[in-house]
Amino acid sequence: MLNTLLPILLFAALGLAVLGALRRANMWRRGRASKVDLLGGLLAMPKRYMVDLHHVVARDKYIANTHVATALGFVLSALLAILVHGFGLHNRILGYALLLASVLMFVGATFVYLRRRNPPSRLSKGPWMRLPKSLMAFSVSFFLVTLPVAGILPADFGGWLLAALLSVGVAWGVSEMFFGMTWGGPMKHAFAGALHLAWHRRAERFGGGRSTGLKPLDLNDKTAPLGVEKPKDFTWNQLLGFDACVQCGKCEAACPAFAAGQPLNPKKLIQDMVVGLAGGTDARFAGSPYPGKPVGEHSGNPH
């Protein structure tokens, strides 16, 4: 049963993820042109992720270690799950590797769960509160279905009832981790964030460089607006950057206007850009609103 269902679930989720990626890329393309080394950025992305990004994340040791365990465990688990359960490469070594990767991911997911039990006010709630459970569902389900591959348990252990339960767990996990990654779930930050690092508007920041000044306007570019009126007035990689926001709220916590009760919250502003890019309202925003401004009264579209 599982040998039939698992490839279907995996490749269906991957197929939907590809469609979602194309949809999001089409939304980003509504922005203005920007000169970016596409191939060079992709080649530089792994180093930017593993070195530059983690130099920043390491300011918070707890979440840095959590992120390493969760992200590394997920990437390894996903790749190995596709090989073992998608393509049916039931090799004992691959099975043990998948077991170890899923354990690593589960450890990271546990720390995410502990972080979310009593989250600071700057963290967004809503769908983000289900993320630890989805991470656990993914890691635990693939751990259990891989035990027979590693030769630890017989192939028919648990019977059809356990197989059905594990199928539900796998479906839950892959829908959040693959499908949700490109269709707007909490894991969207992983997909958009990786591409944001690759095609960053200020690539000079990586490798220890600094770039904090305002970029001058090109007054000779007749297609460039003076300022921004609509989401499509941003460059395409700026729109990509908005989509990469993890809603950690550190900008909110550091904002003096928000602290003073002025109607500004930088995290909410970025999420309004995301909503405006796709078209919709802020009714589902699960973070702190603009002080004195209720959520649900704002809407927009890219045009």
Side-chain angles (χ1 to χ4, degrees):
M1 179 179 176
L2 285 175
N3 288 338
T4 301
L5 282 176
L6 289 179
I8 294 174
L9 291 173
L10 279 169
F11 290 120
L14 286 171
L16 290 171
V18 170
L19 291 177
L22 294 174
R23 172 178 170 270
R24 300 216 78 81
N26 188 55
M27 288 194 293
W28 300 331
R29 290 179 64 245
R30 294 171 181 168
R32 295 188 295 108
S34 179
K35 294 181 180 179
V36 176
D37 182 358
L38 297 178
L39 179 59
L42 285 174
L43 294 175
M45 186 263 289
K47 179 178 181 293
R48 293 175 180 179
Y49 181 86
M50 291 185 285
V51 178
D52 297 284
L53 173 65
H54 274 278
H55 280 167
V56 176
V57 178
R59 297 169 188 170
D60 184 337
K61 296 296 184 183
Y62 180 96
I63 202 63
N65 295 331
T66 298
H67 191 261
V68 168
T70 309
L72 179 60
F74 165 65
V75 171
L76 293 176
S77 295
L79 292 175
L80 289 166
I82 292 170
L83 291 175
V84 173
H85 299 293
F87 292 107
L89 300 179
H90 290 181
N91 177 281
R92 181 168 291 191
I93 295 176
L94 291 177
Y96 271 104
L98 179 50
L99 290 177
L100 291 174
S102 59
V103 168
L104 179 63
M105 181 180 175
F106 181 81
V107 171
T110 301
F111 282 105
V112 176
Y113 170 76
L114 294 174
R115 173 85 159 189
R116 285 280 168 180
R117 286 179 63 186
N118 186 25
S121 60
R122 61 179 174 82
L123 287 179
S124 292
K125 314 301 189 296
W128 292 87
M129 300 302 287
R130 75 168 185 256
L131 182 58
K133 304 178 185 67
S134 299
L135 293 169
M136 290 179 177
F138 186 97
S139 57
V140 170
S141 298
F142 276 107
F143 180 88
L144 293 175
V145 299
T146 307
L147 289 173
V149 178
I152 298 175
L153 289 176
D156 58 349
F157 84 101
W160 67 268
L161 179 59
L162 182 59
L165 291 174
L166 289 177
S167 297
V168 171
V170 169
W172 177 6
V174 297
S175 63
E176 182 79 87
M177 306 306 292
F178 295 159
F179 176 72
M181 188 180 290
T182 58
W183 285 88
M187 282 300 294
K188 173 170 64 73
H189 78 276
F191 170 67
L195 296 181
H196 175 57
L197 291 173
W199 301 324
H200 201 284
R201 192 164 177 255
R202 295 175 183 259
E204 61 272 17
R205 287 182 177 177
F206 299 107
R210 293 184 63 84
S211 176
T212 57
L214 295 175
K215 288 185 176 289
L217 292 173
D218 184 358
L219 299 179
N220 294 319
D221 185 357
K222 298 185 182 300
T223 65
L226 295 176
V228 173
E229 181 182 8
K230 301 173 182 177
K232 68 177 184 178
D233 293 334
F234 289 101
T235 62
W236 68 266
N237 51 345
Q238 284 178 300
L239 296 179
L240 165 60
F242 299 152
D243 243 351
C245 174
V246 298
Q247 299 191 44
C248 67
K250 289 189 175 181
C251 59
E252 172 186 308
C255 178
F258 180 81
Q262 299 300 310
L264 174 64
N265 180 342
K267 182 180 76 174
K268 173 69 164 55
L269 178 62
I270 293 298
Q271 292 309 306
D272 284 349
M273 298 293 183
V274 174
V275 169
L277 176 63
T281 74
D282 66 345
R284 298 179 64 185
F285 179 68
S288 302
Y290 300 125
K293 301 285 185 180
V295 170
E297 296 184 353
H298 306 91
S299 62
N301 62 72
H303 307 293

